Amino acid sequence: MLAQIRPLTAHLDERGRLTEIHRASDDAHGFGQAYITTASAGVVKAWHRHRLQVDRWYCVAGAAKVGIWDAEAMRGETIILAADHPQLLVIPAGLFHGFTPCHGHREASILNLPSHEYDPADPDEDRRGPFAFPFQWGVASR
């Protein structure tokens, strides 16, 4: 597996639920900032990779088909993140990644807790178009 999936626990009571996503003690990558990014139905937000930054993605609404691509090994993987299935995706530096809402979802919202704060003077990223790699963004027929 290229990226790491960490299952999360949603604590449910009569008031609702609480899901703890990340603690400083979980790893040594550091913490830079927190933000939410969304993609509308039919939109593919891909590809980009970081030299230093480790991304931590959690789906807060909808469901997302996440693509991870290792350009050196020319291989990828698909991960499905969904708001009703709590898990944290940890994407190491050096891997291209992106996402699109899963079929049937109008929008997917991803919370990112990256290891480094965004610096517009040194954006720490390499970008490619959504079809730069042989990755299946649509629904795969079986």
Side-chain angles (χ1 to χ4, degrees), residues 52-74:
L52 303 172
Q53 180 172 297
V54 173
D55 281 342
R56 299 179 195 96
W57 285 9
Y58 175 77
C59 185
V60 295
K65 180 177 187 175
V66 178
I68 307 290
W69 190 262
D70 182 336
E72 282 70 43
M74 287 303 291

Side-chain angles (χ1 to χ4, degrees), residues 7 38 42 45 47 64 73 75 96 109 124 130 134:
T38 67
K45 283 191 162 181
W47 293 97
R75 69 183 184 104
F96 281 98
S109 299
D124 180 46

Side-chain angles (χ1 to χ4, degrees), residues 85-135:
H85 185 70
Q87 48 186 0
L88 185 70
L89 173 62
V90 181
I91 305 167
L95 295 177
F96 281 98
H97 50 286
F99 75 99
T100 189
C102 285
H103 181 72
H105 287 268
R106 287 180 275 193
E107 185 176 74
S109 299
I110 302 289
L111 169 66
N112 190 10
L113 303 166
S115 61
H116 293 74
E117 187 174 340
Y118 178 74
D119 179 359
D122 181 18
D124 180 46
E125 62 186 21
D126 179 11
R127 292 192 171 271
R128 305 284 166 85
F131 304 105
F133 306 114
F135 186 83

